[in-house]
Amino acid sequence: MTHVARELASQPDCWQRAADLADGAAGRLPAAGERIAVVGCGTSYFMAQAYAALREGSGQGETDAFAASEFPEGRRYDRIVALSRSGTTTEVLGLLARLRGTTRRTVVIGDPDSPMATTADDTVVLGFADEKSVVQTRFATTALTLLRAQLGLHTDAVVEDAQVALAEPLPTGLVECSQFTFLGRGWSVGLANEAALKMREAALAWSEAYPAMEYRHGPISISTHSTATWMLGDAPTGLSDEVHATGARWVAGGLDPLAELVRVQRLALAIAASRGLDPDRPRHLTRSVILSTS
């Protein structure tokens, strides 16, 4: 079994541990009413998008999400929250250094010995969710679970849905599809972006992601009998019928959207296996992007 397969399967336990930690970590995480920005790179950026939508949507404060390289440094926030599995990503470390002394900086990381652990004002370490794999699965979803629980938006049903996502067979015919589109609404838009990234990283599959209502505004034109459209969360009225009319496969997201992401992770590994790929050695990728400063 690959590292990524083992780590993927451990997510229900990791999520439960993260939810149990949320109350104890509350003093190191944003308080209600703070104006914050959440930053990350790659998968962590997409988790930032999901958290930002959840936090602001629940009335706990204005919350923006940025790729660390695109942070608008002239804009003022009460706090910056950085998500980083390795704690070594160049863009995030540089941003935290530039904000020292002007903005409170919180990091959620997997490695307690990383440079980011000593750079921030507040640190939450999820060492039990750290990973050997290049392709992220459990750290990202566990970090989001911690943040979701701190907002009071996590329930035991989410963990139960993750167990279902691991146990039930994948929908038939998906491995043979030539292209995948993932759709979300609100906080699940970030999860749709992450689902598409997992398919590209692990399976070298052609994949895209959109807010569900935007899918009709052009992207649906590529849908055909060899493609699949997967909804994470509740679908807009009539959209499944429109996808069926194109001949494409429609996958309804009946589980909690975070658990639906687990199903997508499983699909990515299944496609990788069908193509003879090793998901522990994804093409052109490393565990952390560390850029030369010379």
Side-chain angles (χ1 to χ4, degrees):
M1 183 180 289
T2 62
H3 293 313
V4 67
R6 281 191 294 269
E7 291 158 359
L8 186 163
S10 71
Q11 286 175 106
D13 289 340
C14 287
W15 295 4
Q16 188 60 62
R17 291 183 66 176
D20 292 342
L21 288 174
D23 286 343
R28 289 167 283 160
L29 295 171
E34 287 186 337
R35 183 172 186 263
I36 73 166
V38 196
V39 300
C41 298
T43 290
S44 293
Y45 170 44
F46 298 142
M47 296 300 106
Q49 290 178 329
Y51 171 52
L54 282 171
R55 185 174 186 270
E56 187 158 326
S58 63
Q60 300 200 37
E62 185 175 342
T63 312
D64 295 325
F66 301 101
S69 59
E70 299 299 317
F71 179 77
E73 297 190 33
R75 194 176 298 180
R76 296 301 172 201
Y77 293 94
D78 299 318
R79 185 191 301 257
I80 301 298
V81 177
L83 308 180
S84 176
R85 176 180 64 174
S86 69
T88 59
T89 307
T90 298
E91 299 99 302
V92 180
L93 279 170
L95 175 61
L96 293 174
R98 293 192 297 276
L99 294 176
R100 180 182 291 116
T102 64
T103 308
R104 191 177 184 100
R105 302 157 304 158
T106 294
V107 297
V108 181
I109 57 175
D111 183 356
D113 299 319
S114 69
M116 218 170 282
T118 57
T119 298
D121 302 299
D122 300 292
T123 303
V124 180
V125 180
L126 302 177
F128 60 88
D130 201 2
E131 297 163 321
K132 292 183 179 180
S133 59
V134 173
V135 175
Q136 283 200 55
T137 56
R138 74 180 181 194
F139 175 78
T141 60
T142 300
L144 182 57
T145 297
L146 171 79
L147 296 168
R148 196 178 178 189
Q150 193 255 340
L151 295 173
L153 301 176
H154 174 83
T155 69
D156 290 341
V158 179
V159 175
E160 293 168 5
D161 274 4
Q163 293 166 338
V164 171
L166 290 168
E168 287 189 345
L170 291 169
T172 60
L174 288 182
V175 170
E176 293 75 30
C177 287
S178 63
Q179 188 271 347
F180 301 86
T181 299
F182 298 96
L183 306 178
R185 302 179 82 179
W187 74 285
S188 69
V189 172
L191 301 185
N193 287 331
E194 170 61 8
L197 179 63
K198 286 288 94 66
M199 296 292 285
R200 292 190 288 267
E201 289 178 331
L204 301 183
W206 177 21
S207 55
E208 301 178 320
Y210 303 97
M213 293 297 288
E214 285 295 302
Y215 183 59
R216 296 179 173 99
H217 294 270
I220 195 172
S221 63
I222 64 168
S223 298
T224 186
H225 66 277
S226 63
T227 69
T229 301
W230 192 319
M231 183 73 213
L232 281 74
D234 295 331
T237 301
L239 185 56
S240 62
D241 292 337
E242 293 179 45
V243 171
H244 284 304
T246 69
R249 299 183 64 85
W250 170 260
V251 183
L255 302 173
D256 181 271
L258 198 58
E260 282 295 315
L261 179 59
V262 175
R263 289 214 295 163
V264 176
Q265 293 168 350
R266 288 182 57 210
L267 175 62
L269 295 193
I271 293 175
S274 74
R275 297 180 177 182
L277 301 172
D278 181 353
D280 280 343
R281 293 176 174 81
R283 190 171 67 178
H284 310 314
L285 298 179
T286 58
R287 189 173 182 274
S288 175
V289 176
I290 302 174
L291 305 176
S292 171
T293 58
S294 60

